């Protein structure tokens, strides 16, 4: 199964890999059960191969000088980060090892699906600000790991895909606030024809959760009575633990027994204390956000969405700052440390075709139809129909000698055409003739991209008229859909009444002239009592039409139908005997 394509988030702190499996994007866990692989590599002193991930990170305390982390910051440079095996290792070489590990994780997790064959294709994400050199270095790292890099995708774009922002309206603008372990990125994107364009990007490649850990570690160290900048590693680890815990809890007990072999430190710290210490670091993201907005020429309120990405956005104070800067509640519906990877997987799935199912599952948010005689909505494709879809119906002329029909494409849930939205309209000409003689087929087709095509055909001549409506069929804002549905529920009773009235009136309009014509034709051959009964029933229909009462009209139509039974039979008999 070489058509599988991996989606990879090659992060500064953590990396993730995933794939589309049976139409679903999934992230894959390594042998230790974690979907996150620390972007760390340990190079052994003597024998053995480099270790990647959690195992490497674990050796940092004992053999810190042999462990490399955060090489992404050096991507595209010639800087040596390690000398090992008789040669110099740079960021690209180390990244190749990390990518190789991710490839292995994926192959192990997918072994049943692939029957053990290698997976060789991948999509890899990079920060939006990466230049060509850095992008090419990332690509080469992938190739060195045995991967064909099908595409390099911007991290904010991937995150926006994971958040489903590609379903927003055309020209929507979104901000992606990505606060990771060692870097901060803010990007403003605009959605154009289903593709995100980067309007502006800003940030700091040396600002992240690690800096918060550092501040907290130093503060704890001072509380323990320590001085100078040489903070023991154990304080750094305790700081990171406390930080993560305080994203959910209000207090956290820091315990460092015998941290220097003799002294111990123990202190219950509160979120309030944490925020006081961490505020300075978190505040540094504010200016970057404001600059990104101003570079994009936008005010915060012009944005349609703000999404949070990166592990550090779990911190409540970070969320509060985002809320304040952008004046709105950020979208946190996705797992912040997995959003970029998930987006990479979705992009990979779209490229390989494995994700086609997801596109197919798009549905029409509102019903589509045309206006029919009497101003009623005639639904052709009901709401919540899966696209692509093609459906049609045959219509006829309601009036004799009509020579064209106006097709109004409508969207909405209301019974009366005028309460729904008009998407477009056109005329279809046909041969004039008696009422009900024309045959006009109307077909609605929505393709996988949500483009609606309305086709009308005069079946007598085979002549077609076609109207194309871009994306409006599927692309309606959630709020508008909700408002339309609420309205249809609110007006359900009166709408139904209006429909029944129009239908009743159409029936009366058909019956009354026919009855008048029959009475004239039959003349005296109808006995007086019978004739009086028919006339009375017809008069009641006319009065019911005046009254405006739906139920009265319905009953009157029915009585007239019944009263004319004998008369109708006589007419048939006459026709048969050729008189
Ligand atoms: P990167 O994109 O730089 O690889 P991530 O998005 O994985 O990084 O973020 C890693 C950072 O998120 C680390 O600094 C980590 O301590 C921090 N982090 C993870 N979980 C939490 C949490 N619950 N609260 C606060 N910070 C967290
Ligand atoms: Mg990241």
């Amino acid at each position: 199964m070489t058509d599988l394509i991996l989606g990879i988030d090659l992060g500064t702190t953590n990396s993730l890999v995933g794939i589309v499996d049976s139409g679903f994007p999934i992230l894959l866990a390594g042998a230790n059960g974690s979907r996150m692989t620390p972007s760390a590599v340990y190079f052994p002193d003597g024998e053995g191969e480099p270790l990647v991930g959690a195992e490497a990170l674990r050796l940092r305390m004992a053999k810190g000088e042999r462990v490399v982390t955060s090489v992404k910051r050096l991507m595209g440079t010639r800087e040596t980060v390690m000398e090992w095996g008789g040669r110099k290792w740079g960021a690209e070489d180390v990244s190749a090892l990390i990518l190789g590990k991710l490839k292995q994780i994926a192959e192990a997790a997918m072994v049943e699906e692939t029957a053990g064959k290698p997976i060789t294709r991948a999509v890899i994400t990079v920060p939006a600000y990466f230049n060509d050199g850095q992008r090419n270095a990332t690509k080469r790292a992938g190739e060195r790991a045995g991967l064909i890099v099908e595409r390099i995708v911007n991290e904010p774009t991937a995150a926006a895909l994971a958040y489903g922002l590609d379903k927003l309206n055309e020209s929507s603008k979104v901000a992606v606030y990505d606060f990771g372990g060692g870097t901060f990125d803010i990007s403003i994107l605009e959605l154009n024809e289903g593709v995100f364009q980067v309007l502006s990007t800003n940030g700091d490649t040396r600002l992240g959760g690690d800096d918060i850990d550092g501040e907290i570690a130093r503060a704890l160290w001072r509380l323990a009575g320590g001085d100078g900048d040489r903070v023991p590693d154990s304080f750094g680890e305790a700081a990171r633990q406390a930080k993560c815990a305080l994203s959910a809890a209000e207090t956290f007990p820091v315990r460092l027994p015998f941290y220097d072999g003799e002294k111990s430190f123990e202190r219950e710290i509160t979120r309030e204390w944490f925020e006081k210490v961490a505020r300075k670091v978190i505040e540094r993201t504010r200016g970057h956000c404001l600059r990104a907005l101003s570079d994009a020429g936008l005010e915060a309120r012009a944005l349609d969405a703000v999404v949070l990405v990166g592990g550090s956005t779990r911190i409540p104070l970070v969320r509060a700052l985002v809320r304040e800067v952008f004046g709105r509640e950020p979208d946190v519906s996705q797992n912040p440390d997995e959003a970029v990877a998930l987006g990479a997987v979705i992009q990979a799935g779209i490229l390989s075709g494995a994700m086609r199912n997801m596109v197919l599952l798009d549905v029409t948010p509102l019903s589509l139809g045309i206006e029919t005689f009497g101003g009623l909505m005639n639904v052709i494709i009901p709401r919540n129909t899966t696209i692509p879809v093609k459906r049609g119906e045959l219509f006829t002329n309601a009036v004799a000698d009509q020579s064209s029909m106006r097709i109004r494409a409508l969207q909405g849930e209301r019974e009366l055409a005028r309460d729904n939205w008009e998407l477009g309209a056109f005329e279809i000409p046909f041969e004039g003739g008696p009422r009900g003689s024309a045959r006009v087929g109307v077909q609605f087709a929505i393709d996988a991209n949500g483009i609606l095509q309305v086709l009308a055909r005069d079946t007598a001549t085979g002549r077609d008229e076609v109207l194309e409506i871009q994306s409006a069929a599927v692309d309606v804002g959630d709020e508008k859909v909700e408002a339309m549905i609420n309205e249809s529920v609110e007006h359900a009773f009166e709408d139904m009444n209006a429909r029944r009235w129009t239908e009743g009136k159409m029936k009366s309009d058909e019956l009354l002239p026919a009855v008048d014509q029959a009475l004239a034709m039959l003349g005296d051959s109808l006995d007086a009592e019978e004739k009086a009964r028919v006339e009375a029933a017809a008069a009641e229909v006319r009065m019911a039409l005046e009254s405006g009462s739906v139920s009265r009209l319905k009953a009157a139509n029915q009585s007239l139908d019944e009263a004319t039974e004998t008369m109708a039979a006589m007419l048939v008999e006459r026709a048969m005997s050729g008189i």
Side-chain angles (χ1 to χ4, degrees):
M1 288 263 290
T2 45
D3 56 335
L4 294 177
I5 306 183
L6 300 176
I8 294 177
D9 169 9
L10 182 61
T12 309
T13 316
N14 294 300
S15 296
L16 298 95
V17 61
I19 203 157
V20 173
D21 185 17
S22 315
F24 285 104
I26 52 165
L27 297 174
L28 303 168
N32 62 357
S34 169
R35 294 195 288 258
M36 266 199 264
T37 299
S39 306
V41 179
Y42 165 74
F43 291 86
D45 300 302
E47 296 292 287
E49 289 299 305
L51 290 176
V52 180
E55 292 167 293
L57 207 56
R58 224 170 291 126
L59 288 163
R60 193 150 72 157
M61 292 272 203
K63 297 186 173 280
E65 76 291 347
R66 309 294 321 153
V67 178
V68 203
T69 57
S70 302
V71 293
K72 185 171 172 180
R73 288 196 177 126
L74 299 173
M75 207 58 153
T77 71
R78 297 182 160 277
E79 211 166 305
T80 300
V81 294
M82 181 63 64
E83 296 209 17
W84 184 80
R87 70 178 188 91
K88 293 178 169 159
W89 291 69
E92 197 180 306
D93 311 293
V94 175
S95 297
L97 293 177
I98 298 169
L99 289 167
K101 172 80 175 184
L102 298 173
K103 180 177 187 284
Q104 255 176 32
I105 289 174
E107 285 171 348
M110 297 295 289
V111 69
E112 277 177 33
E113 288 80 356
T114 58
K117 288 211 196 78
I119 304 177
T120 55
R121 301 163 73 194
V123 165
I124 305 177
T125 58
V126 298
Y129 59 77
F130 258 28
N131 61 29
D132 272 352
Q134 294 168 306
R135 283 166 199 260
N136 284 331
T138 305
K139 202 167 168 195
R140 282 196 301 270
E143 282 157 8
R144 208 166 303 169
L147 292 167
I148 300 160
V149 182
E150 299 284 343
R151 199 168 287 187
I152 293 285
V153 177
N154 286 329
E155 285 163 13
T157 300
L161 268 181
Y163 272 97
L165 301 182
D166 53 320
K167 302 286 187 299
L168 288 177
N169 291 330
E170 185 67 6
S171 306
S172 288
K173 289 155 195 79
V174 305
V176 179
Y177 179 103
D178 183 348
F179 202 13
T183 57
F184 170 66
D185 301 310
I186 174 76
S187 312
I188 313 285
L189 312 179
E190 183 178 273
L191 185 62
N192 282 314
E193 286 170 13
V195 179
F196 291 102
Q197 277 170 342
V198 181
L199 293 184
S200 69
T201 162
N202 214 291
D204 187 335
T205 52
R206 302 215 164 250
L207 174 61
D210 296 349
D211 299 293
I212 297 174
D213 299 348
E215 290 296 330
I216 301 293
R218 269 191 292 281
L220 288 175
W221 180 231
R222 279 193 299 273
L223 284 181
D227 52 16
D229 273 347
R230 269 297 304 152
V231 183
D233 283 348
S234 55
F235 277 70
E237 181 50 28
R240 196 192 55 76
Q241 266 180 21
K243 172 188 75 172
C244 292
L246 288 170
S247 286
E250 287 294 331
T251 61
F252 182 78
V254 177
R255 286 198 191 95
L256 287 161
F258 312 113
Y259 58 83
D260 65 350
E262 263 178 59
K263 291 188 212 141
S264 295
F265 174 70
E266 220 169 291
R267 181 69 65 94
E268 176 105 341
I269 60 168
T270 64
R271 187 185 286 173
E272 201 186 336
W273 179 86
F274 166 80
E275 292 186 344
K276 226 160 78 194
V277 180
R279 183 174 299 267
K280 198 171 64 189
V281 175
I282 294 170
E283 270 297 327
R284 283 170 60 198
T285 67
R286 183 190 295 268
H288 297 294
C289 295
L290 297 176
R291 245 162 288 142
L293 277 172
S294 112
D295 288 350
L298 291 177
E299 295 206 35
R301 82 181 104 84
L303 295 172
D304 298 283
V306 176
V307 302
L308 297 186
V309 181
S312 299
T313 62
R314 286 225 166 81
I315 299 171
L317 186 61
V318 171
R319 296 188 175 185
L321 176 124
V322 173
R323 210 176 288 133
E324 194 189 315
V325 171
F326 293 99
R328 66 155 67 220
E329 204 55 46
D331 186 342
V332 293
S333 57
Q334 294 297 316
N335 194 340
D337 22 48
E338 295 187 340
V340 169
L342 196 65
V345 173
I346 292 172
Q347 182 66 62
I350 292 170
L351 284 181
S352 72
M355 211 57 192
R356 217 176 316 135
N357 280 343
M358 191 173 100
V359 179
L360 290 184
L361 277 177
D362 227 340
V363 296
T364 52
L366 293 169
S367 301
L368 295 162
I370 64 166
E371 172 173 356
T372 54
F373 193 70
L376 292 180
M377 166 76 167
N378 186 304
V379 172
I380 292 181
I381 298 178
R383 79 182 221 92
N384 276 334
T385 302
T386 309
I387 66 162
V389 62
K390 199 184 266 187
R391 265 181 219 169
E393 224 172 280
L394 212 53
F395 294 89
T396 186
N397 56 327
V399 183
D401 294 323
Q402 189 181 345
S403 63
S404 75
M405 190 152 135
R406 187 160 177 77
I407 307 285
R408 290 180 65 207
L410 302 172
Q411 179 170 44
E413 305 309 312
R414 303 292 299 275
E415 297 283 352
L416 297 185
R418 62 155 196 259
D419 294 326
N420 290 318
W421 303 323
E422 182 178 311
L423 298 178
F426 61 99
E427 295 275 336
I428 169 97
F430 49 81
E431 286 290 303
R435 180 176 193 278
S437 63
R439 288 282 176 274
V440 176
V442 176
Q443 186 187 66
F444 276 46
I446 308 175
D447 67 13
N449 300 316
I451 293 167
L452 167 68
Q453 203 186 51
V454 180
L455 176 146
R457 173 175 300 166
D458 174 10
T459 56
T461 60
R463 234 186 102 170
D464 285 344
E465 290 290 333
V466 177
L467 172 71
E468 198 162 273
I469 297 156
Q470 298 288 334
S471 79
V474 177
D475 227 355
V476 185
D478 286 350
E479 283 158 38
K480 286 179 83 183
V481 170
E482 209 171 295
M484 171 56 87
I485 291 167
N486 285 343
E487 255 171 54
S488 77
V489 171
E490 229 167 82
H491 299 280
F493 185 73
E494 52 187 280
D495 272 15
M496 208 50 224
N497 253 350
R499 172 178 282 277
R500 284 173 55 209
W501 173 259
T502 305
E503 282 168 355
K505 185 174 177 311
M506 281 169 71
K507 172 125 182 149
S508 310
D509 289 350
E510 187 187 325
L511 277 174
L512 290 173
V515 168
D516 288 346
Q517 205 184 350
L519 283 174
M521 272 174 73
L522 290 171
D524 293 340
S525 46
L526 199 65
D527 77 62
E529 200 183 314
E530 186 78 27
K531 192 174 169 191
R533 227 155 54 84
V534 172
E535 279 171 348
E540 169 57 14
V541 169
R542 290 198 169 90
M543 279 192 290
L545 279 172
E546 292 287 317
S547 79
S549 156
V550 174
S551 49
R552 185 168 170 190
L553 181 62
K554 204 174 165 219
N557 277 335
Q558 203 177 339
S559 307
L560 182 58
D561 239 351
E562 283 161 13
T564 53
E565 258 170 33
T566 327
M567 195 169 80
M570 283 170 72
L571 278 177
V572 172
E573 217 168 283
R574 273 206 181 191
M576 301 246 282
S577 58
I579 301 167

